[in-house]
Amino acid sequence: GLLAKKRLLQLLKDGESQPEGLFIKTHLDKKGKYGRVLGEILYIYARDLHNANPNSNPWIGWRSVNHQMLSEGLVEPYK
């Protein structure tokens, strides 16, 4: 409900503030007559700036908003 909505908005705002922004991965679900497109939102959760070499991009870790909210118990798996 409202707690999940509040957390989602927080994750989106935090992800949006990163230089890379948010990444949306889509999946085609072929169930039903027409199917549907499901989305997974990814955000930056870790960055290794300490070990970055000059003139190279630092390691970046992406995390799924969907999985984050599942792990926090705010949503239930899609069935």
Side-chain angles (χ1 to χ4, degrees), residues 29-36:
D29 180 12
K30 296 186 179 186
K31 290 182 182 176
K33 184 175 178 181
Y34 300 105
R36 60 185 150 217

Side-chain angles (χ1 to χ4, degrees), residues 17-69:
S17 69
Q18 296 296 320
E20 296 82 5
L22 298 165
F23 181 77
I24 300 175
K25 187 185 335 181
T26 58
H27 310 275
L28 180 60
D29 180 12
K30 296 186 179 186
K31 290 182 182 176
K33 184 175 178 181
Y34 300 105
R36 60 185 150 217
V37 177
L38 303 173
E40 184 175 8
I41 303 169
L42 303 171
Y43 68 99
I44 299 287
Y45 77 95
R47 187 184 308 270
D48 182 9
L49 298 175
H50 177 71
N51 292 318
N53 295 322
N55 302 321
S56 70
N57 292 327
W59 174 85
I60 296 173
W62 293 87
R63 178 169 285 163
S64 165
V65 169
N66 309 43
H67 291 138
Q68 180 67 33
M69 292 186 67

